[in-house]
Amino acid sequence: MTVVKSTLPEEALRVTGPALQDTLVDLLGLSLVGKQAHWNIVGPRFRSIHLQLDEVVDTARAYADTVAERAAALGVTPDGRPETIAATFALPGTKDGWLRDTEVVRLLVESLEAAIGRLRARIDATEKADPVTQDLLIGITADLEKQRWMFEAENWPREDG
């Protein structure tokens, strides 16, 4: 049963729908990674990174809502159920227990970098299928790249040289 009829041709929707759903999962998962790290961070930079994690969480949650609403507007039912996120989330996640501030920074750089790489592939895939969705994905990528840069700068000079 189709409740909302898509304005996209079926072929374009076959590309755009999964791109939006996969982005939704990445963003919801990223928000959970950020919150878990937020609650468990320890170390001398606790406060600044604790607050910075909330920025990532807020950004991911706001974009998740925008992505889900874009999918719904195209007639694709967004799926943000916990079991869907648990089954399909593919970004690096946190370990159990307390997390050193340096570990949190490294984790966020890796998670954001992975999300950005996946978004860039979806940007390429949606170029012809749906430039509106592509534009949304470009904006998300820009914001996540900014967050990644800010976290990467936290661990300078790098411990590995």
Side-chain angles (χ1 to χ4, degrees):
M1 168 177 86
T2 301
V3 175
V4 177
K5 184 177 180 328
S6 181
T7 57
L8 292 179
E10 193 60 38
E11 184 178 320
L13 201 56
R14 279 193 293 274
V15 171
T16 303
L20 289 166
Q21 178 59 38
D22 292 345
T23 301
L24 178 62
V25 168
D26 284 356
L27 291 168
L28 290 173
L30 185 60
S31 76
L32 294 172
V33 167
K35 250 330 169 183
Q36 184 68 19
H38 172 88
W39 295 322
N40 290 287
I41 186 171
V42 294
R45 295 179 296 160
F46 164 82
R47 180 151 173 78
S48 64
I49 296 171
H50 179 82
L51 296 173
Q52 191 176 357
L53 287 163
D54 271 341
E55 292 177 26
V56 171
V57 170
D58 291 346
T59 298
R61 287 180 178 168
Y63 275 126
D65 189 52
T66 301
V67 165
E69 289 176 354
R70 175 72 184 148
L74 294 175
V76 175
T77 57
D79 188 356
R81 296 173 300 152
E83 57 269 26
T84 301
I85 306 308
T88 59
F89 184 66
L91 303 178
T94 62
K95 67 177 188 170
D96 190 26
W98 301 114
L99 301 166
R100 290 278 313 166
D101 51 3
T102 53
E103 288 178 277
V104 169
V105 168
R106 192 174 316 111
L107 169 66
L108 265 289
V109 168
E110 290 171 5
S111 293
L112 288 163
E113 192 168 297
I116 290 161
R118 292 167 57 85
L119 276 161
R120 287 190 171 278
R122 293 178 202 129
I123 288 167
D124 289 344
T126 56
E127 179 181 12
K128 287 191 174 41
D130 183 20
V132 175
T133 294
Q134 183 195 43
D135 185 57
L136 172 60
L137 299 178
I138 289 169
I140 295 168
T141 302
D143 279 355
L144 294 186
E145 285 177 336
K146 179 181 175 185
Q147 292 290 339
R148 185 196 167 282
W149 157 61
M150 292 175 141
F151 274 98
E152 189 172 46
E154 285 281 348
N155 274 353
W156 189 87
R158 290 181 15 183
E159 296 167 348
D160 61 357

